[in-house]
Amino acid sequence: MSLLDIFLATLNITLPVFAMVFIGIGLKRLKWIDQTFVNTASRLVFRGTLPTLIFLSLLDADLDTTFNPWLLGFFALATLASFLACWGWAILRVQRPLRGIYIQGAFRGNAGIVGLALAAGMYGNEGLSTGGLLLGVVILSYNVLSVIALATYQERQDGTGVDWASIFRHILHNPLILSVLAAIPLAILDIDLPKWLQTSGHYFASLTLPLALICIGATLSTRALRQGYRTTFSASIAKMVVIPAVATWLAWACGFEGRELGVLFLFFASPTAAAAFVMAKAMGGGETLTANIIALTTLMASITVTAGVFVLRVSGLI
């Protein structure tokens, strides 16, 4: 695939996503949707359509292809390291009420949608197989760590410190995590759902991306972007430049190359996940800053991903 083909493939993924965000802005300006719709749709995505999408994606993953536990282990450790680095930076540079939102926006990528699609575009079925193996780790690590960050800095009316019991409950009851735990045994045992149930599930899951992105657009505030542009820009640079560069270099230093190194880069270089907005909304605030981070990282993705792939190919690493 030529550089132009990679660039166009990237645009074909990122531009439609960004267009949906602008549709959300337009619908809100036209008063076709209001805050009540955003609240209801966000709950529907978080509790219903997104868990269904994750569940079906794991069932469709090809678990019989090459299984590399080192790849899964590296991704998990690199994700944890990036999470802790973002947390440390947030303590030093970000106001306390915004820290949980900043941390999630800076480390959590849209690997399950954008990353997987880019991997398929670059490597075909082999890219899908490698990405599919990472998907379970992606969902579990991103959601558990996001819940910890958001719950730690969640404002409590009684003014007390961190409620770790509440954090644990959030993790146990998180619909996204539950969908992974429900899908893994079925995928391992290669159990197929009835055809009619799969079709109905895919219909329901297909609501996820448009609904989530429209809600992001409806919540996007240019006034908030002007007021909090430093936090938005800082999180976006961390997500789209610093983390992909450092994590990919570490992966190469650990011996990964070719398709595996390429897929790791694409997963780490994905823009902030739309699910971050849904989770922020579900856990009580910060959705405006999250929406701004998602919008900016999505805009940056076509440039940073293409540049990263170009450097890796010129270097002969992928």
Side-chain angles (χ1 to χ4, degrees):
M1 184 182 291
S2 68
L3 179 61
L4 179 60
D5 290 335
I6 296 170
F7 179 70
L8 293 176
T10 304
L11 290 181
N12 286 336
I13 295 168
T14 57
L15 289 184
V17 170
F18 204 63
M20 292 300 297
V21 173
F22 276 103
I23 289 175
I25 296 174
L27 293 177
K28 184 70 179 293
R29 294 283 181 97
L30 291 171
K31 300 184 185 297
W32 288 11
I33 61 176
D34 55 17
Q35 194 58 44
T36 301
F37 173 87
V38 172
N39 294 338
T40 302
S42 297
R43 286 195 298 270
L44 175 62
V45 171
F46 182 69
R47 297 175 181 175
T49 66
L50 186 54
T52 303
L53 177 64
I54 291 168
F55 180 83
L56 294 175
S57 297
L58 287 176
L59 287 187
D60 294 338
D62 185 3
L63 299 181
D64 294 329
T65 56
T66 304
F67 177 74
N68 187 348
W70 298 111
L71 180 70
L72 303 181
F74 175 83
F75 186 86
L77 289 175
T79 298
L80 178 60
S82 65
F83 170 77
L84 295 175
C86 292
W87 197 320
W89 181 261
I91 291 174
L92 295 175
R93 295 288 186 175
V94 180
Q95 297 176 8
R96 182 178 176 82
L98 301 178
R99 288 176 187 170
I101 301 301
Y102 174 91
I103 295 166
Q104 181 184 220
F107 95 94
R108 181 176 187 168
N110 199 350
I113 298 175
V114 177
L116 201 60
L118 283 168
M122 284 187 63
Y123 299 111
N125 290 333
E126 292 182 343
L128 277 175
S129 297
T130 304
L133 292 174
L134 286 173
L135 194 56
V137 178
V138 167
I139 295 167
L140 286 173
S141 59
Y142 281 0
N143 283 284
V144 169
L145 295 176
S146 293
V147 167
I148 291 173
L150 292 171
T152 298
Y153 293 104
Q154 195 175 36
E155 293 185 4
R156 301 188 64 200
Q157 296 180 353
D158 57 10
T160 58
V162 178
D163 185 355
W164 293 105
S166 175
I167 293 176
F168 188 65
R169 286 195 300 271
H170 275 300
I171 293 173
L172 287 181
H173 296 122
N174 187 293
L176 308 183
I177 296 174
L178 292 176
S179 68
V180 174
L181 297 178
I184 288 175
L186 298 179
I188 292 175
L189 297 174
D190 198 21
I191 297 176
D192 292 327
L193 297 177
K195 185 65 177 178
W196 69 268
L197 187 57
Q198 290 187 45
T199 303
S200 299
H202 283 294
Y203 285 160
F204 187 59
S206 66
L207 297 172
T208 301
L209 189 57
L211 267 183
L213 294 174
I214 285 173
C215 290
I216 290 170
T219 309
L220 189 63
S221 169
T222 55
R223 180 181 300 176
L225 186 59
R226 289 195 298 269
Q227 293 173 350
Y229 72 95
R230 290 183 179 177
T231 303
T232 300
F233 186 75
S234 174
S236 300
I237 290 295
K239 181 68 202 70
M240 301 309 299
V241 179
V242 178
I243 290 176
V246 175
T248 304
W249 179 83
L250 288 173
W252 170 76
C254 290
F256 292 104
E257 59 183 13
R259 183 183 72 250
E260 291 183 339
L261 182 63
V263 172
L264 283 172
F265 167 74
L266 293 174
F267 270 45
F268 282 116
S270 297
T272 302
F277 170 83
V278 178
M279 183 171 287
K281 186 78 175 176
M283 293 188 63
E287 64 270 13
T288 299
L289 176 59
T290 304
N292 289 338
I293 294 172
I294 293 170
L296 184 55
T297 55
T298 301
L299 182 62
M300 294 171 64
S302 61
I303 299 174
T304 56
V305 172
T306 303
V309 171
F310 176 78
V311 170
L312 290 172
R313 285 198 161 180
V314 167
S315 304
L317 300 178
I318 62 173

